[in-house]
Amino acid sequence: MIRFSHRAPGARKWRLTRTSALILAVAVVGAIGLATLTSVLNRRDSHRLLVLQAQDATVSIRSLLSQYQAAMSSIGSVAAATGISTDRLRALSDENPTIQSFSEVAVLKRSAGGEPSVTVVKGNPPMSGSTSPSAGIGADALARVAAARGMQVLGFTGRGASRQLALAMGSPATPGGYTVYAEVPLPDGMTVASPFPHLTIAVYNGVADTSPLLFASTRDLPLAGDTVEVFIDINTGTAVSRPAPGQPVLLFVVAAEHSLLSAPEQILPAILAALSLLTGGLAAWAVQSAARRRDLAVDTANHLKEKNE
């Protein structure tokens, strides 16, 4: 409680007026309200910036998918045009940088009955029979690859540093009943640089962060804090808002390490709260000073009146 005193005889003790107290209370409530409101708006604006940056960051993933799709489609087209000429397919592999990044490549020809024929273009893909359980794509690898429609991520083969991502592409992306199988080296626990500073990313083969992880920019998973999820259609390479059941998609998760707003925007809540308190304090001081001067004048008049009597 603020008190003012006057040492003249008969002077009253000065206390904080109700008006001043009300002004200070309103200033405190206003400061809390302004700080809360601007903090909420800042979080909303920061999330909007994160959404925009996440959409920009998907360009690199979509571009990589497009390269793989084009390379595998070229293999299927050459196979259909040449009747699976291994010489032409291997020449294409030597000329195409994306195909060179594949460690294993095979072309399958579906037949009306019986198992499809397999032509190995590069490496030693697991297409000659059942695979070991550790291969990741399962013992029915041949049937799964032959049944592929469009582009699909089948899973992983191998473990640890020798882990590879298995891809398959079938009709309508490849003509003539041909299916292309390829493997891309993707060591377990592989981390990549984030396309944007202050952002961490993770890419999953599925619709949830419990799906198999393809790669991430950090080992601290799942990503926490303010995050954005973007689904990327594997066949079209486009972002989709809500994938249909069974639709092959990649889940691209982006998280901000801290607020994406500028420093002035981040301290805006504190600035507005301080201004509210300062304004309220000055208004209360003005009201209190006026009341003090009035009471002093009354006390002085009463004191002089008593003295003259």
Side-chain angles (χ1 to χ4, degrees):
M1 177 93 44
I2 301 175
R3 297 182 178 180
F4 300 96
S5 61
H6 179 62
R7 297 185 180 276
R12 71 177 69 177
K13 292 184 178 180
W14 300 96
R15 300 177 182 274
L16 184 66
T17 65
R18 292 182 179 179
T19 304
S20 299
L22 180 60
I23 292 174
L24 289 177
V26 171
V28 171
V29 173
I32 296 174
L34 286 173
T36 303
L37 177 61
T38 50
S39 295
V40 171
L41 293 177
N42 277 356
R43 286 194 294 270
R44 183 198 64 181
D45 292 342
S46 180
H47 185 75
R48 286 179 175 177
L49 287 175
L50 181 60
V51 170
L52 293 175
Q53 293 196 5
Q55 293 173 348
D56 291 340
T58 60
V59 173
S60 58
I61 306 300
R62 292 158 57 187
S63 175
L64 185 61
L65 277 176
S66 297
Q67 293 177 25
Y68 288 163
Q69 290 169 348
M72 296 176 73
S73 179
S74 298
I75 295 173
S77 298
V78 170
T82 63
I84 315 184
S85 168
T86 54
D87 291 338
R88 294 288 300 274
L89 289 172
R90 287 169 182 166
L92 175 65
S93 175
D94 293 337
E95 297 171 357
N96 191 306
T98 303
I99 301 177
Q100 291 176 11
S101 68
F102 298 151
S103 58
E104 320 282 345
V105 178
V107 178
L108 286 72
K109 171 64 176 177
R110 294 187 295 274
S111 57
E115 292 187 349
S117 61
V118 180
T119 301
V120 175
V121 179
K122 185 178 181 181
N124 186 28
M127 298 290 104
S128 59
S130 63
T131 58
S132 64
S134 63
I137 62 173
D140 59 344
L142 184 61
R144 291 185 62 192
V145 174
R149 294 294 181 270
M151 186 171 181
Q152 295 183 8
V153 177
L154 300 180
F156 296 106
T157 65
R159 292 180 177 177
S162 61
R163 190 185 75 165
Q164 301 191 80
L165 182 65
L167 307 173
M169 175 178 283
S171 62
T174 55
Y178 290 93
T179 301
V180 179
Y181 174 86
E183 292 184 8
V184 182
L186 195 64
D188 191 12
M190 176 181 177
T191 58
V192 298
S194 173
F196 288 92
H198 313 308
L199 295 183
T200 52
I201 65 170
V203 180
Y204 299 89
N205 179 30
V207 296
D209 58 10
T210 55
S211 303
L213 174 70
L214 300 186
F215 56 85
S217 62
T218 178
R219 297 182 185 274
D220 188 11
L221 298 170
L223 301 180
D226 189 14
T227 60
V228 171
E229 296 183 349
V230 181
F231 297 102
I232 302 175
D233 188 300
I234 295 177
N235 284 314
T236 63
T238 58
V240 293
S241 58
R242 183 175 299 176
Q247 182 180 7
V249 295
L250 299 180
L251 172 61
F252 184 67
V253 184
V254 182
E257 297 177 357
H258 51 72
S259 176
L260 301 179
L261 300 178
S262 62
E265 290 174 311
Q266 294 182 45
I267 65 174
L268 183 60
I271 294 175
L272 293 178
L275 288 176
S276 178
L277 292 174
L278 178 61
T279 302
L282 291 175
W285 175 81
V287 170
Q288 191 69 26
S289 297
R292 180 182 181 185
R293 289 193 299 268
R294 181 196 62 202
D295 292 341
L296 283 175
V298 171
D299 285 348
T300 301
N302 291 337
H303 179 67
L304 293 175
K305 183 179 179 181
E306 291 176 359
K307 186 175 181 181
N308 290 334
E309 294 176 351

